[in-house]
Amino acid sequence: MATHDRPPSRLRWRTVDIVVLATVGAVFGLVFWIWNLTFAAVSGVFAVFPPSQAVMTGVWLLPAVLGGLIARRPGAALFCEVAAAVVSVLLGSVGGMAIILLGFAQGAGAEAVFAATGYRRWGTGAAMAAGVCAGATTTLYTLVTAYPTWPLSFMLAFGALTAVSGAVLAGGGSVLLHKALTRTGALASFRTAPGGAR
Amino acid sequence: MSASPGTRPAHGTPHGAEARPGGPAAAPPARAFLARTNPAAKVLAAVITTIALLPVLDPVGSAVVLAAGLALLPFSGVRARVLLLVGGPFLLMGASIGVVNWLFGDGGPLLAVGAAVRLMAIALPGVLVAMTSDPTDLADALVQRLRLPERPAMGVLAALRLIPLLAAQWRMLTLARRARGMEAGRNPAAAVAIFAGKAFALLVRSIRTGTMLAMAMDARGFGTGERSHARVSAWRAADTWFLVGTAVLLCAAHALGIAAGTWQMLFS
């Protein structure tokens, strides 16, 4: 690799970016699998007003925001979320290809926010905005695939709650997770590590 | 990764399913047409099915596609026990979508059934791809046949190989906590706290493992230039016909829906 003549690019992907994001995606694929079961198990609680279960959506958006925060590279959010979706399908999530497309939509939502900052802002604000935007694409996709007959008021409530869940669980949750991960030293090969500058 | 195909001598076995390079250890039975189809063809078929069914709410057409997908099950080579295991959650998903659309939707029972059948028809092909494809074959096919970018595809495949390792580490984390006397007993709050702690420890463990794996891959020259392929993902005439058949089926499904008068665009 031509890393001797020029400093490593801020935007170029290294092998460790690819493999660690794929691994984080795989762990979240397992989490998705558990969360899918939990979601189905507690859906009775939300039966009074089904759109209210959208508050649980944020967990599915975590790898997108967290992936962006870890690698800080173009495509990191998209890649991590799609990897999680692919792994959860290969582990036997019953949504099949629809889940992978949903992963694309969610990853692209978060990615759009990071891209809009020119991949330069990675604070709590950017993370929460990414969670909201990933929630917006999720809303669009879920309403089209799963609940096309709902009245408009239900759809709007679903969208609003998904956005809140995306901001709090995926945005805020990712920031806390990233802080905790940095403290353990596991992210030593990334730019955010103390003293790390790649 | 699986053994390279060239090292396995063919002991006079006829070239059939068992001579397939790079395949899973247990050869699929001759009837398992779907397991022998190129994974790239299966992925493409699932994608065009999704695209064809998404914009339309049509119980009849969706039912035709779902029935065709179910008719492929005997040719999938998937054991009945696995089918039952996946079938339960699959039916539960369809039923819950149907009930929610029926009780809270504007379209009445027919459209609610349509929404449920449509979602199952969209989901089934992808589930079939996952159940009938070896992950290594799938990655090879996506890279060689569909020209997916190689480094990310191999990265996901490598991560997939770590999952059994992660399962072992999960057990170890459980034992370590038990040895230190951390048990929830009947307290659900403590159970959630212990679960979250274990999940975080697993995430840390997996990132460390992934970092080491990346170092090992770099040391072997991963991603430094053009790769050659040890396993060739072969595209056969049957794969092309499989795609043609899928397209014909989708056209027929839409035609039947229009003829039955149940076909309508979404949100119209």
Side-chain angles (χ1 to χ4, degrees):
Chain A
M1 275 185 286
T3 44
H4 297 291
D5 14 337
R6 59 189 169 83
S9 161
R10 193 171 67 87
L11 305 178
R12 191 185 185 279
W13 284 62
R14 302 162 299 153
T15 305
V16 67
D17 297 316
I18 296 174
V19 177
V20 167
L21 286 190
T23 314
V24 171
V27 173
F28 274 98
L30 285 167
V31 172
F32 284 4
W33 193 75
I34 295 169
W35 198 241
N36 290 343
L37 295 179
T38 315
F39 188 87
V42 302
S43 62
V45 179
F46 297 93
V48 188
F49 186 58
S52 62
Q53 199 167 10
V55 296
M56 294 180 72
T57 310
V59 170
W60 284 299
L61 312 176
L62 262 168
V65 183
L66 184 63
L69 295 187
I70 288 178
R72 297 195 169 185
R73 276 175 166 75
L78 182 64
F79 177 60
C80 198
E81 182 74 43
V82 171
V86 168
V87 169
S88 84
V89 168
L90 289 177
L91 289 178
S93 281
V94 291
M97 198 58 61
I99 299 270
I100 296 177
L101 289 178
L102 176 57
F104 257 106
Q106 294 169 332
E111 188 71 39
V113 171
F114 292 134
T117 72
Y119 297 104
R120 281 173 196 285
R121 298 186 52 175
W122 306 97
T124 309
M128 291 180 96
V132 170
C133 204
T137 51
T138 309
T139 302
L140 220 63
Y141 187 90
T142 309
L143 292 180
V144 167
T145 51
Y147 306 115
T149 67
W150 270 1
L152 187 63
S153 57
F154 274 45
M155 294 192 174
L156 291 177
F158 185 87
L161 290 173
T162 305
V164 171
S165 179
V168 175
L169 291 181
S174 290
V175 170
L176 293 180
L177 256 180
H178 186 253
K179 273 202 185 112
L181 284 174
T182 306
R183 266 202 301 276
T184 66
L187 299 178
S189 23
F190 293 90
R191 213 180 309 149
T192 49
R198 265 166 295 180
Chain B
M1 309 279 165
S2 51
S4 108
T7 57
R8 199 189 305 155
H11 288 297
T13 48
H15 273 271
E18 57 271 89
R20 200 170 60 109
R31 231 158 41 97
F33 150 76
L34 211 52
R36 283 182 285 116
T37 307
N38 190 304
K42 288 184 273 188
V43 168
L44 282 179
V47 169
I48 58 173
T49 306
T50 305
I51 293 171
L53 292 184
L54 264 190
V56 176
L57 199 52
D58 170 18
V60 173
S62 307
V64 169
V65 175
L66 183 62
L70 292 175
L72 277 178
L73 283 180
F75 306 100
S76 65
V78 180
R79 273 167 308 179
R81 201 172 57 86
V82 180
L83 283 182
L84 285 177
L85 215 63
V86 177
F90 186 76
L91 291 177
L92 191 68
M93 173 195 72
S96 70
I97 295 293
V99 167
V100 168
N101 275 296
W102 176 44
L103 290 179
F104 300 96
D106 285 338
L110 185 66
L111 280 190
V113 169
V117 173
R118 167 171 166 271
L119 190 68
M120 289 200 283
I122 290 174
L124 184 60
V127 176
L128 285 176
V129 174
M131 286 197 303
T132 62
S133 310
D134 174 70
T136 307
D137 285 351
L138 182 61
D140 284 339
L142 292 180
V143 167
Q144 293 173 33
R145 296 288 137 226
L146 299 186
R147 302 269 168 247
L148 246 64
E150 180 129 36
R151 289 207 305 159
M154 289 300 144
V156 173
L157 183 62
L160 210 56
R161 299 273 158 188
L162 289 182
I163 286 187
L165 203 65
L166 294 180
Q169 279 170 352
W170 182 260
R171 279 191 294 276
M172 209 190 306
L173 289 167
T174 308
L175 292 176
R177 274 165 172 69
R178 189 171 300 157
R180 279 149 53 197
M182 292 168 69
E183 270 192 293
R186 296 232 177 110
N187 183 350
V192 169
I194 288 180
F195 180 83
K198 271 160 58 179
F200 180 71
L202 187 72
L203 188 61
V204 172
R205 212 47 266 168
S206 72
I207 291 176
R208 290 190 198 279
T209 312
T211 308
M212 287 205 298
L213 181 62
M215 249 185 265
M217 287 164 78
D218 271 338
R220 286 162 177 76
F222 176 73
T224 47
E226 192 81 351
R227 281 169 66 95
S228 60
H229 298 287
R231 303 169 300 267
V232 178
S233 179
W235 186 276
R236 297 182 184 80
D239 299 319
T240 308
W241 284 115
F242 180 64
L243 281 184
V244 171
T246 307
V248 169
L249 170 77
L250 291 170
C251 292
H254 280 298
L256 273 172
I258 292 169
T262 53
W263 192 94
Q264 67 173 86
M265 289 300 279
L266 210 58
F267 304 126
S268 64

